[in-house]
Amino acid sequence: MSTKFDVIKRRVKRVMLKSLPGMITCREFENFIVDYLEGTLPETQIKLLERHIKICRECKDYLAAYQLTTKLSAALKVAPDEPVPSDVPQDLIDAVANSVASSFNPPRQAKKDSSE
Amino acid sequence: MPVNQPKIIQEPRESIDIEKFIRENYGWMLALAESMLGERGTAEDTVQEALIKALNALPNFEHRSSVKTWLRRITVNQTITTMRKLKRLSEVTLDEHQPEFDNFGCRIEEKWDSFPTPEQLLEQKHTRQFIEKALKSLPQSYSIVVRLRDVEGYNTSEVADLLGVSESNVKVRLHRARSALKKILEPVLRREGAES
Ligand SMILES: [Zn+2]
């Protein structure tokens, strides 16, 4: 559903990205996104990215939608105050308690490293 | 760095009320493991293992983070171990729902008239379910990276450590997974943007 005007705009943009100094292509832009959002993209590349966005509506929209998605993912985090099911299985409590008790003697280092 | 956690955890193991500890933490640990694994049964076994590891390590806990943060990491770690055992993290390539470019390397992206805020979207009661479903539709080797980085909020190098892969590998997978999610969620984002 692109109009004639859109087609011309795309053509102009393509020429600008190709011929103007200090421009990056959409594909190069793509490779910068993760580092840009991490805050680890070098200053010179940030400038290139921001310059690209001024000319490229597509990448600007894409980045905004991408960022929105990233923020939405954060909403899935399970809160540590998640209501505890009243029925923590008694056999689980017993199994854990036994296992922990049996490793109690002799005293030793915490199981190598719990973060493995 | 202020340590605002209660001191009970430095007491000897006998004085730790194991049952209380389990009852306080089982619920969210199970929800967390289940969200990552996508099923209850293996999540229960995983949480049991995580609780044993945590309780064994608790006397040596060094307060470099809060107990919950520490316990969360143990749970995440144990869940990753389970996923590995079940061969859920095998490398596949995610080619679907990736960004599109024309023959000249210019991005193809339909115009967005407006963007809803995350808050507006989350007010809708199905949004969360929709995101969860979208994430579950990705291969687990990709969704795990989004869960660790964007959901749990670990930084890229922590995610690399947790998964035992390089940071650049994390970034590649993260980008592909986020791109796919954006594409899958797009109908919802656009509809809400149009209504607001
Ligand atoms: Zn572009």
Side-chain angles (χ1 to χ4, degrees):
Chain A
M1 45 177 264
S2 55
T3 63
K4 226 175 196 172
F5 184 56
D6 286 331
V7 176
I8 295 168
K9 265 205 307 198
R10 285 183 77 84
R11 235 176 245 160
V12 170
K13 185 177 82 181
R14 195 184 301 147
V15 172
M16 287 173 86
L17 294 180
K18 275 260 151 62
S19 53
L20 287 180
M23 281 295 165
I24 51 171
T25 64
C26 296
R27 284 197 187 273
E28 288 168 309
F29 177 93
E30 184 74 18
N31 295 332
F32 288 170
I33 293 178
V34 172
D35 282 319
Y36 179 65
L37 297 182
E38 292 281 313
T40 53
L41 195 66
E43 194 62 39
T44 49
Q45 296 181 352
I46 294 177
K47 289 222 173 76
L48 291 174
L49 181 142
E50 286 171 351
R51 208 176 292 156
H52 183 91
I53 280 179
K54 286 201 179 122
I55 292 183
C56 184
R57 192 275 305 158
E58 281 82 356
C59 284
K60 187 180 178 203
D61 277 358
Y62 182 86
L63 183 62
Y66 180 103
Q67 266 185 293
L68 176 58
T69 307
T70 305
K71 285 181 189 151
L72 285 174
S73 295
L76 297 182
K77 184 161 181 172
V78 174
D81 51 4
E82 190 87 0
V84 181
S86 48
D87 56 334
V88 182
Q90 189 58 46
D91 57 343
L92 175 129
I93 295 174
D94 295 343
V96 173
N98 281 334
S99 179
V100 173
S102 66
S103 67
F104 181 37
N105 283 314
R108 48 166 206 165
Q109 295 262 309
K111 264 191 168 178
K112 38 182 181 142
D113 175 7
S114 56
S115 61
E116 196 154 272
Chain B
M1 197 194 293
V3 175
N4 47 15
Q5 282 305 308
K7 288 241 162 70
I8 44 157
I9 41 213
Q10 293 231 304
E11 290 171 19
R13 193 175 287 140
E14 306 100 291
S15 66
I16 296 167
D17 185 339
I18 292 178
E19 182 159 347
K20 181 161 173 277
F21 184 89
I22 296 172
R23 286 194 188 283
E24 273 174 8
N25 297 295
Y26 183 73
W28 67 263
M29 287 172 76
L30 184 62
L32 174 57
E34 191 176 347
S35 72
M36 289 171 70
L37 286 159
E39 57 198 44
R40 178 59 69 92
T42 40
E44 285 169 348
D45 297 343
T46 301
V47 169
Q48 181 168 333
E49 284 301 311
L51 280 165
I52 293 169
K53 281 195 179 162
L55 283 160
N56 278 324
L58 198 48
N60 302 321
F61 177 61
E62 284 172 354
H63 292 276
R64 273 178 296 196
S65 62
S66 76
V67 181
K68 294 266 190 213
T69 304
W70 172 79
L71 192 52
R72 198 168 187 104
R73 200 181 170 103
I74 291 177
T75 310
V76 166
N77 235 313
Q78 192 61 41
T79 308
I80 292 170
T81 303
T82 303
M83 291 169 97
R84 261 201 209 105
K85 271 187 207 148
L86 297 172
K87 309 229 183 305
R88 296 276 184 78
L89 296 179
S90 52
E91 290 267 357
V92 286
T93 316
L94 176 59
D95 290 323
E96 271 183 299
H97 309 301
Q98 293 305 300
E100 293 169 73
F101 301 90
D102 67 15
N103 294 338
F104 301 92
C106 287
R107 184 185 301 280
I108 301 171
E109 175 77 8
E110 207 179 302
K111 191 168 173 24
W112 289 73
D113 295 320
S114 64
F115 290 96
T117 64
E119 292 74 24
Q120 283 169 332
L121 286 159
L122 292 164
E123 273 169 21
Q124 309 297 315
K125 77 173 181 232
H126 296 300
T127 304
R128 237 170 270 262
Q129 271 173 287
F130 206 86
I131 309 167
E132 188 61 63
K133 202 174 147 210
L135 196 49
K136 282 210 172 95
S137 74
L138 303 183
Q140 283 198 336
S141 57
Y142 285 85
S143 62
I144 183 74
V145 180
V146 171
R147 287 209 187 267
L148 297 176
R149 179 69 191 85
D150 294 338
V151 182
E152 291 299 313
Y154 292 114
N155 65 36
T156 310
S157 89
E158 288 173 312
V159 177
D161 276 353
L162 283 162
L163 293 175
V165 298
S166 69
E167 273 189 56
S168 59
N169 180 303
V170 169
K171 287 181 186 175
V172 168
R173 279 199 259 171
L174 185 61
H175 185 57
R176 294 186 86 81
R178 284 170 170 176
S179 299
L181 277 183
K182 176 223 165 243
K183 194 80 160 217
I184 298 169
L185 292 173
E186 209 167 307
V188 177
L189 307 188
R190 284 188 187 274
R191 194 187 329 127
E192 200 52 41
E195 277 165 18
S196 58

